[in-house]
Amino acid sequence: ILVFHLLPGGNYQRKIFALDLLLVIMNSFFCFKSGEGSNKKSGNGDPSDFVKYANNDGKMIIFHQQVFELLTLNLEDHMTDVKEKCYKMLSSSSPSMSACEELLGKMNQCISSPKENICETGSFIAKLLAKWGPNGLICEQLLQQLEETMSKCAKDFLVSSQHSPMFGVLIALRSCLLTSDSSEWRTFTQNQIGQLIGDLEVISDLMLSFLCGEKNELINPDFQDIAQAINDIIGDNEEDIPIPEEHQLVLSAAWHNLKECSLLAGSLLSSLDLEIKPDENSSDSISLADTVRCCELLKKITTRCRHKGVIEASNIASGLLASSLLKSDIAEFRDLPEKILQDLFQQLESSWSKSSY
């Protein structure tokens, strides 16, 4: 009955309620942990014998192919909470190699979409593949894919914004590498962290050049300048006409990439331990030099792009960054937020009319 309500097109409230009940059943009987969650006060012990008895009688069969397919189908739901609950259910599954290969293809398709909601689906699939682990390290694959997509964007951003706008790869990489429930949480070495930050720097410079044109980097272009810069990319010189689809795609891809660069930079500093110079094989720390690079990256994006979505993401990333730096016991890290503010105040005094603040 509960699985029936997971069919496509079903009522949202029933679907969420069914998923909640399925999670309770799974956590109480299949992923049993004594003294935790719904089993905190349970004195009945391990229920594995009971589940085995029920399964032999054709009951309580949750890890079934049909259930697996329905849950993966619901990863494409437009509601994030539905995706999250399906992810929790699927994370306890053990799919076949062919199913993982099929999902890998689906992940690549989703993270290449120009729609953020579909990219989010790709990030959940990436975390599942990282947990199941038959395809190697997902984060390393995503980093390689990021650099390949970055090269395509630099050559022809109009085509890339339609078929591989890049921000989907950034979303999946942040989800797999920097969320604590991921199996590949904090797995990058210092070289890989530096490589990732370098890619973020190149991407942000590229996106700002698309949005700002040839403007001086100390100037924050207004929306008319941004529109003209995008028109130069799509080759549209007409004025006083409705915004064409190509214009919307380029603008959406550019600001989504800047948004994800900001969030990734902030998440790196909030998820990793701060050390002046960690061991090169350390995967749970970030160096002072890389921290300064993240700060400069975030400062550049915040002061050069006035798109509301980018400003909101920069606000979140700045909070993550400041919270991590200010609670550090190392003075070099703790003093960075004050230096950033001083630089920003100086810019406000020298060119306040061109600032997005």
Side-chain angles (χ1 to χ4, degrees):
I1 294 175
L2 295 177
V3 173
F4 172 78
H5 291 293
L6 302 183
L7 292 171
N11 179 273
Y12 166 74
Q13 283 78 14
R14 292 196 191 104
K15 181 179 290 188
I16 282 292
F17 187 58
L19 285 169
D20 282 336
L21 288 178
L22 285 170
L23 281 170
V24 169
I25 293 172
M26 188 180 73
N27 290 330
S28 297
F29 294 96
F30 295 89
C31 302
F32 179 83
K33 293 182 180 179
S34 180
E36 294 186 16
S38 55
N39 301 314
K40 189 172 183 180
K41 299 295 183 180
S42 174
N44 297 325
D46 192 336
S48 56
D49 290 339
F50 170 77
V51 172
K52 184 178 180 180
Y53 176 81
N55 288 167
N56 290 336
D57 199 34
K59 308 294 184 182
M60 295 183 68
I61 303 176
I62 290 183
F63 300 108
H64 185 272
Q65 182 64 24
Q66 182 182 9
V67 178
F68 178 84
E69 291 175 355
L70 276 174
L71 290 171
T72 53
L73 190 61
N74 276 283
L75 287 174
E76 302 178 48
D77 195 275
H78 67 285
M79 299 299 291
T80 300
D81 52 351
V82 172
K83 297 178 187 180
E84 289 174 345
K85 294 178 189 300
C86 288
Y87 163 77
K88 291 177 181 178
M89 291 284 297
L90 286 166
S91 61
S92 299
S93 301
S94 300
S96 64
M97 183 68 72
S98 60
C100 289
E101 290 175 354
E102 184 177 345
L103 280 175
L104 180 62
K106 185 66 178 178
M107 180 200 76
N108 289 326
Q109 178 185 345
C110 288
I111 62 177
S112 298
S113 172
K115 297 182 179 180
E116 186 176 14
N117 183 56
I118 298 177
C119 292
E120 185 182 51
T121 294
S123 71
F124 279 111
I125 297 176
K127 283 174 68 176
L128 286 169
L129 291 173
K131 185 175 182 62
W132 296 330
N135 297 297
L137 292 174
I138 292 295
C139 286
E140 290 186 1
Q141 295 180 38
L142 289 171
L143 184 60
Q144 180 181 355
Q145 188 170 346
L146 177 64
E147 297 190 335
E148 293 172 356
T149 308
M150 187 169 58
S151 177
K152 294 177 183 176
C153 287
K155 292 178 181 177
D156 192 336
F157 190 53
L158 175 58
V159 173
S160 294
S161 66
Q162 298 169 331
H163 304 293
S164 53
M166 192 160 49
F167 62 85
V169 184
L170 291 170
I171 293 174
L173 194 51
R174 176 162 58 91
S175 180
C176 286
L177 184 65
L178 300 174
T179 54
S180 58
D181 64 336
S182 170
S183 297
E184 294 189 17
W185 180 49
R186 308 203 305 184
T187 54
F188 273 7
T189 63
Q190 293 303 299
N191 285 336
Q192 289 172 316
I193 291 172
Q195 181 183 349
L196 174 59
I197 296 173
D199 290 342
L200 297 181
E201 292 170 336
V202 173
I203 293 168
S204 60
D205 286 341
L206 190 62
M207 296 303 119
L208 288 171
S209 69
F210 289 147
L211 292 180
C212 305
E214 300 300 324
K215 296 289 182 181
N216 186 293
E217 67 175 20
L218 298 178
I219 295 177
N220 187 317
D222 58 27
F223 291 109
Q224 185 176 355
D225 294 329
I226 293 175
Q228 184 57 54
I230 294 175
N231 284 340
D232 293 341
I233 294 175
I234 66 177
D236 187 356
N237 296 316
E238 297 291 333
E239 297 181 356
D240 300 326
I241 59 173
I243 298 178
E245 182 181 358
E246 291 85 356
H247 190 292
Q248 297 179 40
L249 282 171
V250 168
L251 176 60
S252 175
W255 81 259
H256 272 100
N257 279 319
L258 289 172
K259 168 189 172 183
E260 288 305 320
C261 284
S262 298
L263 293 175
L264 238 174
S267 297
L268 278 169
L269 295 184
S270 66
S271 301
L272 300 175
D273 300 330
L274 304 177
E275 292 186 28
I276 297 292
K277 192 174 181 180
D279 184 89
E280 62 180 13
N281 294 319
S282 172
S283 62
D284 56 4
S285 303
I286 186 168
S287 68
L288 177 61
D290 285 338
T291 298
V292 172
R293 292 170 68 189
C294 288
C295 293
E296 291 298 320
L297 169 69
L298 190 55
K299 186 171 67 174
K300 179 188 294 185
I301 293 175
T302 305
T303 55
R304 291 205 65 204
C305 184
R306 62 180 70 200
H307 190 286
K308 183 180 179 181
V310 177
I311 295 297
E312 290 176 346
S314 298
N315 182 30
I316 295 172
S318 297
L320 294 172
L321 176 148
S323 176
S324 178
L325 294 177
L326 289 173
K327 68 183 181 182
S328 173
D329 296 329
I330 304 173
E332 287 86 345
F333 288 105
R334 198 168 56 249
D335 294 341
L336 282 174
E338 181 181 357
K339 184 179 183 301
I340 295 171
L341 282 177
Q342 289 174 346
D343 292 343
L344 292 176
F345 288 147
Q346 184 177 1
Q347 178 176 337
L348 283 173
E349 292 174 355
S350 60
S351 57
W352 64 271
S353 62
K354 299 298 183 181
S355 173
S356 61
Y357 287 97

